[in-house]
Structure formats: structure tokens, C-alpha cells
Amino acid sequence: MITINEHFLKLQASYLFADIAKRVNTFQEQNPDNEVIRLGIGDVTRALPDACVQALHEAVDEMANDATFRGYGPEQGYDFLREAIAKHDFQSRGADIAADEIFVSDGAKCDTSNIQELFTTDIKVAIPDPVYPVYLDTNVMAGRTDIFTDGRYGGLVYLDATKENNFVPTLPTEQVDLIYLCFPNNPTGTTISKDDLAKWVAYAHKHKALILFDAAYEAFIRDESLPKSIYEIDGAKEVAIEFRSFSKNAGFTGTRCAFTVVPKECKAFDHTGKEQLIHPLWNRRHCTKFNGVSYPIQRAAAAVYSEAGQAQTKGLTDGYLKNAALIRQKMTKLGFDCVGGDNSPYIWIDGQGRDSWEFFDMLLNKAGVVCTPGAGFGKCGQGYIRLSAFNSYENVEKAMKRIGEALG
Ligand SMILES: *Cc1c(COP(=O)(O)O)cnc(C)c1O
């Protein structure tokens, strides 16, 4: 008899985006002349940078010629990309990361999902609330939680991000073993200071824990005092794995390229308490289960680090940040408490006592603007909405004008 992994049955069906689509469709049917502006989805809208497109074309031409054709590449990624990443993203900021500590992949979603299979199921996992749902669901699938009751899975430690802590979770008061952090944050758009991040690194050392640091939005950081990488913190290499992606900085959401950094000194422990290095384990997993990102895509990703690529990706993120600033300014002027939007494409907005969906319906029905209800990201998201800067400036201007007229 073939039996299933019953942990999958604990998963909560995610109706968030289906519910949003349903309400938007109903609104469109009732208001066919009213064009809806979408500031809900966490996907980029601008085309790939020229430098990447050129590199992609050239690499495709190489594949079309026997003399330059490439078959299977190294599973961990080509040296030209790993070296460019190590140099530009880490060494240039004083973080001593080597090329062979970079594992190129097809997405930070897959990597943040897959990493947890290196660890036992009886560890204590700490996950922020509100959160990118991938961290949560993959631990449910692996059997690290009990059933879902009253908005939460049993057996996990939730790290609340609320107004009281400025949406930066405080250290757990109990022992936890695996900690998920994401800064700049999705969905709240908040950032963490070096001092606060250093407290998490110190916690991990003290408690023999491991931090999984998702830095998918680092390219939006403009405040130079903020850490772009956890490895800017002393001692982080022993206790942290970092996830990066070309999705949000260079528009690779449909092109697919990302990477994970596993420093050679990063460690976990076996059941006797003996230290075990994570690098060889992740290398083994990656080589066994993954066959590398396609050569043309890696060439396109490497072009991000060319002079033109750097200028063009900065142009993209500058554009989204300009949208974010406008959203934050207008919503603040209307009297809403907002965080995020200055070093992040997301703005997290307090509904002034409204339920998340009530706030969603109000923006949709009165202004024709689609947001994401905060409750979809966890219990602490109730009462909030997320507005995203991923749209054209014209559309964001129009959306803010409409919200101003409807609510002002
Ligand atoms: C968009 C996003 C990613 C990137 O995922 P990819 O699979 O690389 O496209 C990772 N983490 C968070 C929190 C995100 O919002």
C-alpha cells in the first residue's frame, strides 16, 4: 500500500491570491469601465536590463555552434559567475566570502525550501510573523510542526513583528535551533540595523543555532549604514547561511537565477554534539539533486556585475524606490501609519482598526486599487495591508490620486 506523507494534510490551503483574484473579478464585472491598478503582487514589472539581454543573446549563439557549445556545467555554477558574485556582492563590502562558498541555483524560493532537509525534524524552528509563507510550509511538510489551530501551527516558535518592536522581531526567550530572518523584509518592508543583526548572530553562537538569512531585497538598500549581507557582522560565517536572488534586482523572476552562500566554517552538530560542517553536506545535496542553471542564464546573471549591468540594475531599483516613496508619502499624508518603502519595494500600512480584508475591499471598491491583505502573511498581519512598488510610476501616481480622492 502506498501511503502518503500526512504532514502535507496539515498545510492550510492558501486562498490568498485566489481570493484576491475573485474579488477583483467581481469588481471588474460590476465596473467594466473602471481600470484596476495592481499594487498587490510581489513580482517585478520592468524588462530585463540591456546588459543581461545582450549576454543572453551571445550565450545562445555559443550554444548554436559545436565549437562553443556547452552541455552539463558544474552543478554549483560556473566560476565566472561565482567569482563575480563573491567579489562584487561580498568582498567589496568587507565580507570575506570566496567563490566556492557560492551555490548558484534557479531560485531563492527553492533554496530556502530545500535547505531545511539537512537538519533533523526534532529541532526547534523560529519563524517570523508576518512571513514569506515558504519558510513555514516547507517545515510543515517536513513534519516539524503539529496541526494548525487558531491561526498557528503547534510546535513552532513564532517571532512576532509588530508595532511594539518596529516590526523587527526580538530574540526568543527560549532555545531555538533554526532561525529564519528576511531583511529588507517581505511583507513589511522593514530593515535591520547592524547592531540588531549582531544580536541574532550572538544568540546563534550562544545557543548553537543556525540563521537562514534571506537577502532577496538587498539591492533596494540605499542607507549605507544598513547591512546588505549578514556576513558584514563579525562571527556570522559560523552561524549563518544567506540567500540571494537576481529576481528583484535584475528582473529575473521569469528568467530564474539565484544563489545561496554557505561559508566553509558554517556548522551544525550531530546527535553526539560533535561539530559537522554544513558546506560539504549542502554541496552533496546540490550535486545530487540539481544539475545547474542553464549556461545562457548564468551569462545573463554575470552581466549584472558589468559596469553597464550595475548602472542598469541600479536604474531599475531606483525606479521602484521612487514609486515606493510616493506610496509612503501619500498614505502617510492620508493619516495612515506606514513602515517600509525607503530601502524596500514594500510598504506595510496599518488599517486604523480595519480588518485586512475590509481595508482591501475599501481600496478596491472606492479606488480600484489592488493591495495584499496582511492577514495572508500570518496572524500578526491582521489589520494591515501591503502595497507593492512593482508597477509603472504613471500607474502608481494614478493609484495614489484615486486613493487620495476616495479617502481624503
Ligand atoms: C521574491 C522573493 C525571493 C526570490 O525568490 P526567487 O525564487 O529567487 O524568485 C526570495 N525570498 C523572498 C522573501 C522573496 O519575496
Side-chain angles (χ1 to χ4, degrees):
M1 183 174 71
I2 174 69
T3 52
I4 55 149
N5 173 357
E6 291 194 21
H7 299 304
F8 275 66
L9 304 180
K10 293 176 191 164
L11 289 167
Q12 296 304 294
S14 175
Y15 297 118
L16 180 66
F17 289 103
D19 267 359
I20 292 175
K22 207 161 88 191
R23 291 178 198 223
V24 172
N25 286 341
T26 307
F27 174 80
Q28 286 277 243
E29 278 163 24
Q30 290 163 357
N31 305 274
D33 302 327
N34 203 332
E35 173 216 5
V36 165
I37 303 175
R38 289 169 201 275
L39 299 181
I41 308 283
D43 193 0
V44 297
T45 52
R46 298 278 312 277
L48 293 176
D50 254 359
C52 299
V53 175
Q54 257 182 46
L56 192 52
H57 277 302
E58 282 165 24
V60 170
D61 287 341
E62 284 181 59
M63 297 300 259
N65 187 326
D66 285 347
T68 49
F69 168 80
R70 311 230 187 179
Y72 290 124
E75 289 94 341
Q76 303 92 335
Y78 283 101
D79 285 343
F80 64 78
L81 179 56
R82 300 172 88 193
E83 278 160 14
I85 292 169
K87 179 167 164 237
H88 291 274
D89 282 338
F90 298 98
Q91 292 160 13
S92 75
R93 296 189 61 85
D96 177 25
I97 295 295
D100 62 357
E101 297 174 309
I102 311 283
F103 293 85
V104 176
S105 80
D106 60 352
K109 185 184 202 173
C110 325
D111 290 346
T112 52
S113 294
N114 290 330
I115 194 77
Q116 47 80 30
E117 76 178 69
L118 299 187
F119 312 109
T120 54
T121 50
D122 57 358
I123 53 169
K124 203 57 155 176
V125 182
I127 295 187
D129 180 354
V131 75
Y132 180 58
V134 173
Y135 318 148
L136 198 56
D137 288 356
T138 52
N139 276 288
V140 175
M141 292 170 182
R144 288 197 189 88
T145 72
D146 299 328
I147 56 164
F148 190 81
T149 42
D150 195 23
R152 288 189 161 179
Y153 291 98
L156 288 177
V157 172
Y158 283 89
L159 303 170
D160 291 357
T162 60
K163 202 165 269 187
E164 285 65 48
N165 55 27
N166 285 318
F167 304 94
V168 177
T170 37
L171 297 176
T173 49
E174 63 211 283
Q175 163 78 30
V176 300
D177 309 304
L178 188 64
I179 301 160
Y180 288 81
L181 294 177
C182 173
F183 291 104
N185 189 260
N186 179 10
T188 67
T190 50
T191 52
I192 192 165
S193 68
K194 278 189 185 161
D195 283 351
D196 281 345
L197 192 52
K199 288 179 196 158
W200 285 97
V201 169
Y203 176 97
H205 274 281
K206 183 167 170 214
H207 296 268
K208 297 186 169 175
L210 180 73
I211 299 170
L212 302 178
F213 190 73
D214 186 341
Y217 294 95
E218 59 77 29
F220 292 86
I221 292 177
R222 291 295 178 271
D223 178 346
E224 277 298 315
S225 72
L226 295 171
K228 289 189 153 221
S229 166
I230 195 167
Y231 305 118
E232 292 172 39
I233 309 298
D234 283 342
K237 288 205 291 179
E238 289 85 5
V239 295
I241 291 173
E242 182 165 303
F243 303 91
R244 294 270 189 113
S245 173
F246 295 98
S247 284
K248 310 296 168 29
N249 64 340
F252 275 49
T253 53
T255 307
R256 313 305 303 143
C257 196
F259 59 92
T260 291
V261 188
V262 185
K264 289 199 204 78
E265 50 272 75
C266 188
K267 58 184 190 272
F269 302 86
D270 66 20
H271 76 283
T272 68
K274 185 166 162 267
E275 272 182 32
Q276 297 288 342
L277 296 176
I278 296 177
H279 187 277
L281 300 183
W282 182 247
N283 187 54
R284 186 58 195 262
R285 197 225 78 106
H286 197 77
C287 294
T288 301
K289 297 193 174 183
F290 187 64
N291 238 345
V293 172
S294 86
Y295 172 71
I297 301 301
Q298 291 193 59
R299 280 291 181 199
V304 165
Y305 299 102
S306 67
E307 207 174 305
Q310 288 289 287
Q312 290 160 11
T313 49
K314 168 101 183 347
L316 284 176
T317 49
D318 277 348
Y320 293 129
L321 284 167
K322 188 177 162 201
N323 296 348
L326 180 66
I327 296 171
R328 179 161 176 163
Q329 182 216 326
K330 294 289 181 191
M331 294 306 285
T332 304
K333 208 170 149 199
L334 287 168
F336 292 99
D337 276 347
C338 304
V339 291
D342 38 9
N343 293 284
S344 151
Y346 298 124
I347 299 94
W348 188 243
I349 303 164
D350 184 343
Q352 300 173 324
R354 290 177 193 89
D355 163 84
S356 284
W357 281 106
E358 197 184 320
F359 200 175
F360 172 93
D361 285 334
M362 183 178 78
L363 290 185
L364 178 62
N365 295 318
K366 290 193 173 171
V369 174
V370 182
C371 66
T372 313
F377 299 103
K379 213 173 175 175
C380 293
Q382 182 53 275
Y384 290 84
I385 57 155
R386 185 190 75 179
L387 282 178
S388 144
F390 293 129
N391 210 317
S392 67
Y393 189 71
E394 295 66 41
N395 278 343
V396 170
E397 254 186 331
K398 211 190 289 177
M400 288 304 120
K401 189 157 168 276
R402 287 198 207 159
I403 293 176
E405 284 162 6
L407 309 183

